[in-house]
């Protein structure tokens, strides 16, 4: 009975994670295309809110971190923080939300697998085939866009770069020894401070006041609390209750969910060929997540080695 209850609770946490992750491209694209927010404003808002929530984590353990830890934390923040979020938001101003989810989250397992191979960790045949399927789906999606005029290709290039940055983050996080909570706290606090500083230097900080309070509240709650904090908690709970492999398979459904949510939120209806290409990438992501694959310890299952007596955990948040 306990096992069945744990599985049910794990599935519930996985549903929460997938729902927020799938809504992220649509809500972000809404902000940059219809709510007059800039990509940097969205990214900064996300990490300022998340940083305020997670700051106590650093406050409680900062004495244990040396210069090397802070240097590594800065690299992690560059790969997963404000630069990444601003890059994705900029890409979503050019390309549909469904493309953003497919090419960013969809390509991360393949990119992580390539990085693992470069480090001498070779995948199973199924995982290697999955990576090839993902790449095929990504190429097909871009070719469809070329056939339709190519207006979204700039966004596609940004999504591919974002996938590489995200894969770099997960690879380095695993090697850093930080727990998931520490990694998320470092990224949120450093990115929030960096984003505010960047807006101040550019003279754009006062422009935040022009944003409608309703819009500001919506994006602050969604980007900061749901994406920046809740997904970390929900994904960690799903992994603990379901196991890493099953939780990873659930996350592989995000691109399809993003395409579905983009319809009511943005009125974007993918064509049949686009859905086929996205579906191909979903299948590839599931194959890449099979047990024994280096990709399975990448974006959605990056088990972090224990650090100074702290338990291993998975990374949280979204790219």
């Amino acid at each position: 009975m306990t096992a069945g209850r744990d599985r049910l609770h794990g599935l519930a946490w996985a549903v929460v994670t997938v729902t927020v992750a799938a809504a992220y491209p649509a809500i972000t694209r809404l902000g940059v295309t219809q709510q007059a927010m800039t990509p940097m404003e969205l990214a900064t808002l996300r990490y300022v809110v998340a940083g305020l929530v997670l700051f106590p984590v650093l406050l409680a353990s900062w004495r244990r971190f040396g210069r090397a830890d802070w240097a590594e934390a800065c690299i992690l923040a560059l790969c997963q923080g404000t630069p990444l979020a601003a890059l994705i938001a900029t890409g979503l101003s050019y390309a549909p939300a469904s493309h953003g989810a497919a090419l960013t989250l969809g390509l991360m397992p393949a990119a992580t697998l390539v990085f693992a191979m470069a480090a001498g960790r070779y995948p199973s045949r199924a995982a290697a085939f999955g990576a090839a399927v993902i790449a095929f789906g990504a190429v097909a999606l871009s070719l469809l866009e070329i056939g339709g005029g190519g207006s979204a290709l700039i966004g596609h290039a940004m999504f591919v770069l974002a996938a590489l940055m995200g894969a770099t983050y997960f690879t380095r996080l695993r090697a850093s020894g930080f727990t998931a909570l520490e990694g998320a706290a470092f990224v949120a606090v450093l990115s929030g401070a960096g984003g505010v500083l960047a807006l101040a230097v550019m003279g754009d900080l006062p422009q935040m006041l022009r944003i409608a309070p309703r819009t500001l509240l919506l994006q602050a709650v969604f980007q900061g609390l749901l994406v920046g904090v809740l997904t970390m908690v929900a994904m960690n709970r799903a992994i603990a209750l379901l196991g890493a492999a099953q939780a990873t398979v659930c996350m592989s459904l995000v691109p399809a969910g993003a395409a579905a949510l983009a319809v009511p939120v943005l009125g974007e209806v993918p064509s049949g060929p686009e859905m086929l290409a996205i579906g191909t990438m979903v299948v590839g992501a599931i194959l890449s997540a099979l047990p024994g694959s280096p990709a399975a310890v990448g974006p959605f299952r990056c088990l972090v080695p224990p650090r100074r007596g702290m338990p291993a955990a998975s990374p949280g948040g979204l790219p």
Side-chain angles (χ1 to χ4, degrees):
M1 181 67 72
T2 301
R5 186 185 303 114
D6 286 347
R7 180 173 177 79
L8 186 62
H9 289 169
L11 287 173
W13 283 113
V15 168
V16 170
T17 307
V18 170
T19 301
V20 175
Y24 170 69
I27 300 299
T28 302
R29 181 164 165 80
L30 181 71
V32 295
T33 60
Q34 299 181 31
Q35 295 179 332
M37 293 190 70
T38 68
M40 182 57 77
E41 288 171 345
L42 274 174
T44 300
L45 186 63
R46 167 179 170 175
Y47 288 109
V48 164
V49 175
L52 289 174
V53 174
L54 295 174
F55 180 71
V57 175
L58 293 187
L59 195 62
S61 54
W62 70 273
R63 293 178 184 274
R64 295 197 305 269
F65 302 130
R67 291 183 179 179
D69 294 316
W70 284 99
E72 183 64 28
C74 289
I75 296 174
L76 293 177
L78 287 174
C79 292
Q80 180 73 5
T82 304
L84 178 67
L87 181 66
I88 293 174
T90 303
L92 287 168
S93 67
Y94 291 98
S98 58
H99 293 199
L103 293 173
T104 302
L105 286 174
L107 281 175
M108 277 189 195
T112 305
L113 186 147
V114 171
F115 289 167
M117 290 178 63
R121 298 172 57 228
Y122 296 99
S124 65
R125 290 183 180 179
F129 178 70
V133 171
I134 291 172
F136 176 80
V139 170
L141 194 61
S142 294
L143 289 176
L144 288 171
E145 180 56 35
I146 292 175
S151 60
L153 288 180
I154 295 176
H156 284 198
M158 293 180 178
F159 299 146
V160 172
L161 178 57
L164 294 175
M165 291 172 65
T168 300
Y169 165 78
F170 290 115
T171 301
R172 294 193 70 99
L173 176 64
R174 186 173 190 271
S176 72
F178 295 138
T179 66
L181 198 57
E182 290 171 348
F186 269 126
V187 169
V189 172
L190 293 177
S191 295
V196 170
L197 180 61
L199 287 176
V201 170
M202 293 185 296
D204 293 340
L205 198 56
Q207 295 300 315
M208 294 284 285
L209 298 176
R210 65 173 168 73
I211 302 171
R214 195 172 185 177
T215 295
L216 202 61
L217 180 61
L218 167 66
Q219 293 292 352
V221 170
F222 181 80
Q223 301 284 348
L225 296 181
L226 299 188
V227 176
V229 179
L230 178 61
T231 54
M232 179 187 67
V233 175
M235 191 60 194
N236 283 341
R237 292 301 298 152
I239 289 175
L241 294 170
L242 294 177
Q246 292 187 47
T248 300
V249 170
C250 290
M251 285 301 291
S252 300
L253 302 176
V254 169
L261 288 175
V263 177
V265 175
L266 299 167
E268 295 177 353
V269 182
S271 66
E274 285 178 322
M275 286 305 301
L276 184 60
I278 293 171
T280 299
M281 296 184 71
V282 170
V283 171
I286 293 173
L287 290 173
S288 294
L290 292 176
S293 163
V297 291
F300 310 129
R301 190 197 160 193
C302 182
L303 298 182
V304 180
R307 182 179 191 276
R308 299 182 179 94
M310 304 185 90
S314 67
L318 295 171

